[in-house]
Amino acid sequence: MKKIALIVSLLFAFAGISSAQTAKPATTKTPATASKPATTAKPATAKTPATATTAGHTKKDGTPDMRYKANKDAAKAPPAHLKKDGTPDKRFSENKTKKTGR
């Protein structure tokens, strides 16, 4: 009897695992651009990276140059990883408080 109960429970477990791995079918949306008139054309503008416009001086590779005060102030921005209530998420290293040495 124990063997039968074990086999039945394993059968249900494997059935649950296999059904949990099925992917949902992708829904396709039709673009609504067909109903809009094509008379409004905007000129193409060259976009620069956001770090270059907000930070100030940059190095050749595009990263902010931390020798300048404007870039140091921009680096002290609020944390990017926030919880739903707005407090910093302590799972990420940039939100953890620094430990002082003994």
Side-chain angles (χ1 to χ4, degrees):
M1 184 66 185
K2 289 182 181 180
K3 290 181 181 179
I4 294 172
L6 178 67
I7 291 171
V8 170
S9 64
L10 287 175
L11 179 67
F12 283 121
F14 287 130
I17 291 171
S18 67
S19 67
Q21 298 298 322
T22 58
K24 294 181 181 178
T27 59
T28 58
K29 294 183 179 180
T30 57
T33 58
S35 64
K36 292 182 180 179
T39 58
T40 58
K42 294 182 181 179
T45 60
K47 293 184 179 181
T48 58
T51 57
T53 59
T54 59
H57 300 285
T58 58
K59 294 186 271 185
K60 288 183 180 179
D61 61 355
T63 58
D65 195 348
M66 297 311 256
R67 296 179 292 174
Y68 296 96
K69 186 177 189 309
N71 294 337
K72 289 179 185 178
D73 292 339
K76 293 180 184 177
H81 298 100
L82 298 175
K83 294 189 281 186
K84 287 183 180 179
D85 60 354
T87 58
D89 195 348
K90 295 293 184 178
R91 295 179 293 173
F92 298 95
S93 62
E94 68 261 10
N95 297 336
K96 292 181 181 178
T97 56
K98 303 287 182 186
K99 293 183 180 179
T100 58
R102 286 187 156 171

